[in-house]
Amino acid sequence: VDDGSTDGTADWLDGEIAARREQAPLLCLRLPSSVGPGRARNAGVLRARANTIVFLDSDCAVLPGWLPAMLAPLDDPAVGVVGGAEVLDPAEPLAGRVAHFVLTSVLTTGGIRGRSGARLAAYRPRTFSMAVRRELFERLQGFAGLRHGEDIDLSQRIAALRRECRCAEAARVHHRRRASLAAFAQQAFAMGRARST
C-alpha cells in the first residue's frame, strides 16, 4: 500500500512489480492522499484474500526463512498474532546502531520488542513484521485510526480476546533506522505520545 506518497515511490513500485510478475502476483494499492499507517494497512487488507495477513514495513528487509518462520506459530490455535525479530544490519551507520540499541535492548525498553527470556512487560507484535489471523483482524475491525501506535493497539485488543501474542525469533528482519539522532528523537517522541493515550 502506497499511502499517498509524492516522491516517486509508487512509480518505482510499479516497475518492481512488473519485473517480478513471473515470480509472484503483487499489487500496489495507491491511496490518493496520506491517511496514516493504520488506515492504509486496513485498505490493503480489504484487497487481500488470505486467511493470514502479514505486514512488513517499507523500512525493513527480510532475512532468509522469514515468511515460514512468521507463519509457523499460527499452527497453534491459541496464537492470534505473531511478531518478527529485529536484528542489527552490520552495515547500519552509528546513528542507526544507537537507535537499534535504544529500541531493542533489555536495558532500555525492557526487552518488550522481542527476544527470548525475561521481559519487563508483555510482548506485543508490531507491524514492522507481523502476522495476524484474518478472522481476528476483521472481528476487531482492523487498525484504529491512530497515526502512531496502531499496531500496539491491535496487539493489545487481540490479547484482550485471550489470544497469544508470540514472538518468532527466527523471523528476522533488518529494520533500517532514522538517518540522524534528531530524526530518531522525533520518532521516539511520537511513539511515546502514542503509548500514553
Side-chain angles (χ1 to χ4, degrees):
V1 179
D2 178 67
D3 187 21
S5 69
T6 57
D7 62 358
T9 296
D11 293 332
W12 176 82
L13 280 170
D14 284 344
E16 292 295 308
I17 289 168
R20 290 166 173 72
R21 197 169 309 281
E22 301 288 321
Q23 299 166 343
L26 301 173
L27 168 71
C28 176
L29 176 60
R30 294 183 186 197
L31 302 181
S33 61
S34 178
V35 296
R39 288 188 175 121
R41 290 179 183 119
N42 288 344
V45 171
L46 287 174
R47 298 290 299 269
R49 296 185 302 263
N51 290 327
T52 301
I53 307 298
V54 181
F55 299 96
L56 179 71
D57 280 355
S58 60
D59 59 357
C60 290
V62 302
L63 296 177
W66 171 77
L67 188 57
M70 284 295 291
L71 299 176
L74 292 170
D75 289 343
D76 180 348
V79 176
V81 61
V82 177
E86 299 170 278
V87 295
L88 183 63
D89 182 345
E92 191 74 46
L94 179 61
R97 289 173 180 270
V98 170
H100 178 82
F101 176 81
V102 168
L103 288 172
T104 62
S105 173
V106 78
L107 299 174
T108 56
T109 60
I112 61 171
R113 288 182 69 97
R115 300 183 183 265
S116 55
R119 296 186 182 96
L120 297 182
Y123 170 71
R124 297 294 180 250
R126 290 152 171 79
T127 50
F128 70 84
S129 177
M130 174 191 269
V132 61
R133 294 182 190 280
R134 183 186 198 98
E135 57 98 3
L136 288 175
F137 190 88
E138 290 177 347
R139 186 188 322 174
L140 295 169
Q141 299 179 354
F143 292 105
L146 304 170
R147 182 59 75 166
H148 300 283
E150 75 289 343
D151 47 2
I152 300 292
D153 173 74
L154 179 66
S155 290
Q156 292 281 53
R157 290 185 286 136
I158 290 171
L161 294 176
R162 300 196 182 281
R163 301 299 284 275
E164 186 180 340
C165 298
R166 188 171 295 175
C167 181
E169 294 290 337
R172 302 173 311 137
V173 300
H174 286 156
H175 196 169
R176 191 181 50 218
R177 303 301 179 183
R178 296 298 191 260
S180 70
L181 292 179
F184 172 70
Q186 183 179 18
Q187 178 191 30
F189 179 80
M191 291 165 65
R193 195 160 109 187
R195 303 301 187 272
S196 70
T197 56

